[in-house]
Amino acid sequence: MTGSDDIPSANGAQQHYRALERLYASAPVNAKFASTLDIPGEGQSRLRFTVTPDDYHAAGAAHGTIYFKMLDDAAFYAANSLVTDRFLLTTGFNLFFSKPVRAGIVTAEGRWVSGRRRVFVAEARLVDSDGEEIGRGTGTFMRSRIPLSSLPGYAVSGL
């Protein structure tokens, strides 16, 4: 598995997904959020966030930055699951808020939509603990010059 144009073996793909999960967990910003990442397969991601009153704006619901963080991360990792050699960068993101988020578990479900070379499009949706959609977003992501293998959190044995 040397590049995104290669078709990775099933085991190589699983190693890549687990490495991306470790990369997410190692990012300093993610120490500020009670969240976990799961990449179940190519072009998919699932983040579970615990929203607390510390995340609220003055009117008692989660601030929009929380929506963006969850949606961007889910869409980003869905897209980066397709790329085995480079870290992607968010180049644009559109959000739609449909319901306020209060304390509890929120799941962000990411899904790759299109693109496999330089620019990727992925979308994500937020679902509250009652299973209701509370927001969605679509992002564009571009290959950076940063090799995934150069990032301390991305450690894959055997690649």
Side-chain angles (χ1 to χ4, degrees):
M1 191 162 86
T2 58
S4 65
D5 293 334
D6 297 336
I7 299 172
S9 68
N11 187 45
Q14 290 299 316
Q15 288 179 336
H16 175 58
Y17 305 156
R18 301 300 77 84
L20 288 173
E21 292 165 359
R22 288 189 298 274
L23 183 64
Y24 175 84
S26 74
V29 69
N30 291 326
K32 298 176 183 186
F33 300 95
S35 61
T36 57
L37 170 68
D38 174 46
I39 300 176
E42 182 180 72
Q44 304 170 44
S45 72
R46 187 175 306 110
L47 283 148
R48 288 178 48 95
F49 278 74
T50 301
V51 175
T52 69
D54 289 340
D55 301 317
Y56 289 1
H57 53 56
H63 191 275
T65 57
I66 301 301
Y67 284 77
F68 173 72
K69 169 80 169 118
M70 292 185 283
L71 291 166
D72 178 54
D73 284 353
F76 168 87
Y77 280 97
N80 221 147
S81 72
L82 297 161
V83 180
T84 60
D85 60 341
R86 299 286 172 189
F87 186 76
L88 297 181
L89 300 172
T90 304
T91 58
F93 207 90
N94 292 309
L95 299 170
F96 173 73
F97 304 112
S98 54
K99 183 180 170 187
V101 178
R102 293 197 168 69
I105 302 295
V106 175
T107 302
E109 302 167 341
R111 184 180 74 85
W112 167 77
V113 175
S114 67
R116 284 196 177 256
R117 291 189 169 255
R118 186 159 164 79
V119 177
F120 298 77
V121 177
E123 62 186 15
R125 67 187 207 118
L126 294 178
V127 179
D128 67 14
S129 57
D130 294 328
E132 289 189 47
E133 183 174 291
I134 56 179
R136 64 175 44 238
T138 303
T140 55
F141 306 90
M142 186 176 84
R143 288 176 177 276
S144 73
R145 294 183 181 175
I146 303 166
L148 282 168
S149 61
S150 73
L151 301 172
Y154 185 90
V156 179
S157 61
L159 293 184

